[in-house]
């Protein structure tokens, strides 16, 4: 089946680029604050500014708001839910309210759902919060936030990353889209996963893994021989060659022949991306898996060898969400993470990013189709997979496929303060908290390589859990003042690779988006640069807005 929507996406981007040279009807929009990006952080930032009676617009490439929160990641990575406050908590309270209605349970009875979350209850009845939800429910909550606060959203707007940022005296004056539209503001917020506005504004950033000696860390850098989470080949001793153990026969697809590098060194590799698919077994709501374009069963030969070895955890991360649906994530040595196929994504052109997204989509659809149809799949697994399909009532304008790829990591700003594992693990104090994180420092695999012994192995999957929730520094959302005085970056935050593995959770992005906006609003009211506001003034405002800035677990 041809992917018309992806082709249209690529064509539309190309047309936008060509239109750069034809700006006869340029429009200019003015606001106190312009937010670039359509993530969950963008929404909470906009709502906070609206509550402060500041004029704000969201300008984003996205058609759908909410990023991964509304694009399949419904089995929320919460960590310690106590430290999720403010508008983030309100989001989950609104989800709770939705599922209190009978109308919310179309394909499942409420009492059948259960109450399973990520090591914690999915529903906190006493707190009136719900942490597990369907994609369309999350998107509706975001859209309600927008409509209730009369926030203008300009969708399908793509920043001219080459020439679209105008700066004067260290400040961004305006940003221009590929269609020629210009947006002027006193303060800007980059709420993209990619950090596109930040980079176009000339802010320093990092892509890839830092060496451990850069920030005196243990879990950053290349991690050959470190096997966490079970997303690796362990001691399976699987041959990477087309003809097993015959190097002359060539290497199987999706295995790198590059040297993996020296342990603890830095590199330019980034953790794998995937789509968080929403699947169902309900026959009336199920769309069977179809053969994608350019389907090649040889791409999945490595999976056959894993299954032949006896691995049987295919369905371990088909996590239940309401209405007999799942949030499906990567699991195991060969799964939905498209390892090694995204290295150039963070800085790629829009056209190249579209190609990468398309390749990831075809890979995952091909993997599902392979599971469901290839005769080499064990019968018990194949029979189970044939009962699953895409949820017909999700992503209805995108072929029931998630509209946002999981950009687990792209650019990361090098700002006023760099968060590292030392802060996340409580080894170093954090100055000036603007929110808290608590989730495991979680990096997915970055490469699949051949070991010196001649076997295939994955590398880069790390999971190290902080003993306590940790504070996130104000300086991590601020560029260095000499680089830009009126930009806040609550998503592509200033942190090391491994610290970002914990910070990158969607509730944290919502928290940081709200905090960034509150600081922007204060700067406007005081007519003071954002870097010059004293934290003693910021902290009570954040707490009044419901943000949790400090928390100590009982020993």
């Amino acid at each position: 089946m041809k992917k018309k929507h992806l082709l249209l996406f690529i064509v539309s981007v190309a047309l936008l680029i060509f239109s750069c040279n034809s700006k006869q009807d340029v429009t200019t929009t003015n606001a106190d604050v312009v937010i670039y990006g359509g993530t969950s952080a963008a929404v909470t930032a906009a709502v906070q500014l609206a509550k402060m009676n500041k004029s704000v617009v969201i300008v984003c490439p996205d058609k759908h708001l909410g990023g991964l929160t509304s694009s399949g990641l419904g089995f929320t990575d919460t960590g310690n839910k106590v430290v999720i406050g403010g508008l983030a908590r309100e989001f989950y309270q609104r989800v709770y309210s939705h599922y209190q209605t009978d109308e919310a349970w179309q394909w499942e009875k409420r009492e059948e759902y259960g109450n399973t979350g990520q090591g914690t209850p999915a529903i906190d009845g006493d707190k009136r919060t719900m942490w597990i939800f369907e994609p369309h429910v999350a998107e509706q909550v975001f859209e309600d936030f927008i409509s209730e606060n009369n926030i203008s959203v300009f969708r399908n707007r793509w920043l001219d990353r080459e020439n679209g940022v105008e700066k004067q005296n260290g400040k961004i004056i305006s940003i221009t889209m590929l269609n020629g539209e210009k947006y002027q503001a006193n303060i800007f917020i980059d709420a993209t996963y990619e950090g596109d506005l930040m980079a176009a504004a000339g802010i320093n950033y990092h892509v890839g893994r830092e060496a451990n000696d850069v920030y005196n860390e243990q879990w950053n850098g290349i991690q050959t021989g470190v096997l966490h989470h079970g997303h690796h080949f362990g001691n399976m001793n699987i041959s990477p060659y087309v003809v097993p153990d015959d190097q002359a026969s060539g290497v199987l697809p999706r295995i790198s022949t590059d040297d993996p590098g020296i342990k603890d060194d830095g590199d330019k590799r980034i953790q794998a991306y995937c789509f968080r698919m929403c699947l169902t077994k309900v026959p009336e709501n199920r769309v069977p898996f179809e053969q994608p374009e350019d389907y090649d069963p040889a791409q999945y030969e490595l999976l056959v060898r894993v299954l032949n070895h006896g691995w049987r955890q295919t369905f371990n991360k088909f996590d239940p969400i309401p209405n007999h649906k799942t949030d499906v994530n990567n699991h195991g040595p060969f799964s939905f993470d498209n390892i090694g196929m995204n290295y150039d994504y963070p800085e790629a052109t829009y056209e190249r990013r579209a190609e990468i997204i398309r390749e990831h989509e075809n890979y995952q659809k091909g993997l599902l189709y392979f599971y469901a149809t290839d005769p080499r799949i064990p019968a018990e697994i194949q029979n189970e997979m044939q009962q699953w399909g895409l949820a017909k009532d999700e992503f209805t304008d995108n072929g029931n496929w998630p509209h946002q790829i999981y950009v687990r990591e792209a650019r990361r700003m090098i700002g006023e303060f760099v968060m590292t594992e030392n802060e996340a693990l409580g080894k170093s104090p954090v100055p000036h908290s603007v929110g808290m994180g608590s989730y495991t420092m979680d990096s997915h695999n970055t490469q699949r390589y051949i070991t010196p012994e001649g076997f295939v192995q994955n590398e880069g999957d790390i999971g190290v859990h902080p003993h306590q929730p940790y504070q996130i520094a104000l300086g991590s959302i601020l560029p260095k003042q000499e680089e830009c005085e009126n930009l806040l970056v609550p998503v592509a935050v200033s942190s090391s690779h491994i610290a970002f593995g914990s910070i990158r959770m969607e509730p944290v992005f919502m928290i940081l988006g709200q905090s960034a906006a509150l600081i922007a609003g204060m700067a406007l009211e005081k007519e003071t640069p954002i870097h010059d506001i004293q934290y003693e003034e910021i902290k009570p405002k954040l707490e009044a807005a419901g943000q949790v800035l400090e928390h100590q677990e009982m020993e």
Side-chain angles (χ1 to χ4, degrees):
M1 177 181 175
K2 299 294 183 182
K3 292 308 300 168
K4 293 182 179 179
H5 63 283
L6 277 171
L7 290 174
L8 288 172
F9 170 76
I10 295 169
V11 171
S12 66
V13 171
L15 290 174
L16 284 171
I17 291 173
F18 289 135
S19 73
C20 280
N21 298 319
S22 177
K23 301 178 180 178
Q24 298 175 353
D25 300 317
V26 174
T27 61
T28 300
T29 299
N30 291 278
D32 291 326
V33 179
V34 167
I35 299 168
Y36 183 66
T39 59
S40 58
V43 177
T44 56
V47 171
Q48 177 61 45
L49 285 158
K51 290 180 178 296
M52 299 174 77
N53 296 316
K54 302 298 181 283
S55 62
V56 57
V57 297
I58 294 175
V59 186
C60 59
D62 314 276
K63 178 180 178 181
H64 300 271
L65 295 178
L68 256 294
T69 298
S70 61
S71 196
L73 207 169
F75 198 72
T76 305
D77 303 307
T78 53
N80 188 324
K81 296 177 288 191
V82 172
V83 300
I84 300 172
L87 291 170
R89 178 163 288 271
E90 182 177 342
F91 170 85
Y92 298 105
Q93 289 171 335
R94 289 182 177 224
V95 169
Y96 173 89
S97 296
H98 169 83
Y99 285 108
Q100 292 302 300
T101 65
D102 293 337
E103 294 77 18
W105 300 91
Q106 181 178 3
W107 306 110
E108 181 178 25
K109 293 181 180 179
R110 184 191 292 109
E111 57 269 21
E112 294 175 349
Y113 168 64
N115 197 20
T116 301
Q118 286 217 43
T120 56
I123 307 170
D124 289 331
D126 57 333
K127 301 292 193 301
R128 300 184 64 80
T129 52
M130 186 164 175
W131 308 92
I132 312 296
F133 47 82
E134 299 160 277
H136 75 272
V137 172
E139 184 171 4
Q140 188 58 57
V141 172
F142 287 126
E143 291 294 346
D144 290 344
F145 270 135
I146 294 299
S147 61
E148 291 168 12
N149 291 279
N150 298 312
I151 296 165
S152 295
V153 181
F154 296 85
R155 307 173 199 240
N156 197 29
R157 278 13 182 229
W158 301 77
L159 176 67
D160 179 350
R161 289 158 54 193
E162 295 296 323
N163 303 296
V165 177
E166 180 184 1
K167 289 179 70 176
Q168 292 180 11
N169 301 320
K171 292 184 178 181
I172 301 172
I173 303 302
S174 68
I175 59 175
T176 301
M177 303 299 112
L178 290 176
N179 66 357
E181 291 178 358
K182 180 178 289 190
Y183 297 85
Q184 296 179 334
N186 293 309
I187 297 175
F188 292 81
I189 295 175
D190 183 343
T192 64
Y193 291 120
E194 297 84 0
D196 278 346
L197 175 55
M198 169 196 72
I203 309 303
N204 279 316
Y205 60 86
H206 190 85
V207 175
R209 299 181 287 187
E210 299 91 347
N212 270 324
D213 60 9
V214 173
Y215 298 117
N216 189 30
E217 295 177 293
Q218 178 182 357
W219 300 109
N220 206 339
I222 298 167
Q223 296 288 320
T224 46
V226 179
L227 303 176
H228 292 180
H229 280 143
H231 308 315
H232 54 77
F233 292 86
N235 59 0
M236 293 182 184
N237 293 347
I238 290 177
S239 174
Y241 303 115
V242 175
V243 176
D245 304 320
D246 180 3
Q247 186 172 353
S249 66
V251 176
L252 288 176
R254 304 187 181 277
I255 301 174
S256 173
T257 57
D258 293 340
D259 188 293
I262 300 172
K263 188 177 186 302
D264 294 336
D265 279 0
D267 63 9
K268 292 298 183 182
R269 300 180 180 100
I270 57 175
Q271 56 181 308
Y273 297 171
C274 69
F275 287 91
R276 296 291 285 255
M277 301 169 295
C278 186
L279 308 184
T280 184
K281 283 185 174 180
V282 177
E284 301 88 339
N285 195 37
R286 180 175 65 91
V287 179
F289 302 130
E290 296 184 346
Q291 179 176 316
E293 60 181 282
D294 303 323
Y295 175 68
D296 176 12
Q299 296 293 315
Y300 310 104
E301 171 63 28
L302 196 52
L303 173 64
V304 174
R305 297 186 186 183
V306 170
L307 294 173
N308 287 344
H309 190 275
W311 187 81
R312 292 295 184 271
Q313 299 178 30
T314 296
F315 303 102
N316 281 30
K317 283 300 291 179
F318 279 45
D319 293 314
I321 62 176
N323 282 307
H324 288 306
K325 298 176 187 176
T326 64
D327 167 1
V328 178
N329 195 10
N330 177 80
H331 183 73
F334 189 97
S335 184
F336 298 114
D337 273 1
N338 198 0
I339 299 171
M341 302 299 287
N342 61 343
Y343 296 157
D344 58 334
Y345 179 91
E347 299 187 276
T349 63
Y350 293 131
E351 299 96 326
R352 174 60 185 142
R353 285 182 184 169
E355 292 173 359
I356 294 169
I357 292 169
R358 175 176 159 181
E359 197 279 332
H360 277 67
E361 180 174 346
N362 283 339
Y363 165 73
Q364 281 185 244
K365 286 185 173 180
L367 182 54
L368 291 167
Y369 185 76
F370 185 83
Y371 262 119
T373 63
D374 196 278
R376 294 170 292 173
I377 299 295
E380 72 275 14
I381 297 176
Q382 190 158 88
N383 292 338
E384 171 76 7
M385 189 63 79
Q386 288 173 349
Q387 297 178 49
W388 291 97
L390 302 177
K392 188 183 299 184
D393 59 351
E394 298 291 350
F395 315 119
T396 56
D397 64 347
N398 199 43
N400 309 113
W401 192 256
H403 46 73
Q404 170 70 58
I405 194 170
Y406 196 169
V407 179
R408 288 189 171 93
E409 184 174 8
R411 300 183 183 97
R412 287 172 283 107
M413 179 172 66
I414 303 174
E416 287 279 324
F417 185 91
V418 180
M419 292 289 296
T420 74
E421 70 175 47
N422 298 306
E423 286 74 37
L425 296 178
K427 297 177 181 179
S428 299
V430 173
H432 305 155
S433 171
V434 291
M436 300 194 75
S438 63
Y439 198 79
T440 300
M441 292 193 303
D442 178 17
S443 171
H444 283 230
N445 282 305
T446 63
Q447 61 178 324
R448 178 176 290 135
Y449 69 103
I450 301 172
T451 68
E453 295 76 24
F455 303 119
V456 62
Q457 189 54 272
N458 295 337
E459 184 274 320
D461 190 283
I462 299 296
V464 178
H465 185 64
H467 296 298
Q468 296 273 351
Y470 59 89
Q471 297 174 317
I472 300 172
L474 168 62
S476 68
I477 64 174
L478 292 176
K480 293 179 180 177
Q481 187 164 7
E482 61 269 24
E483 293 179 359
C484 190
E485 294 187 357
N486 66 335
L487 175 68
L488 294 115
V489 184
V491 178
V493 297
S494 178
S495 73
S496 71
H497 155 73
I498 195 59
F500 192 75
S502 173
I503 295 170
R504 66 180 178 84
M505 304 307 156
E506 289 288 303
V508 179
F509 286 155
M510 288 191 237
I511 291 167
L512 296 181
Q514 182 180 5
S515 291
L518 190 144
I519 293 163
M522 290 182 65
L524 291 166
E525 292 170 354
K526 297 175 67 65
E527 298 183 350
T528 301
I530 54 177
H531 293 80
D532 292 348
I533 304 177
Q534 298 301 304
Y535 183 70
E536 290 72 21
E537 301 176 80
I538 296 172
K539 182 179 179 181
K541 297 282 189 181
L542 291 173
E543 291 174 333
Q547 298 287 53
V548 179
L549 304 182
E550 52 190 337
H551 176 77
Q552 186 71 27
E553 293 284 274
M554 297 294 292
E555 295 293 340

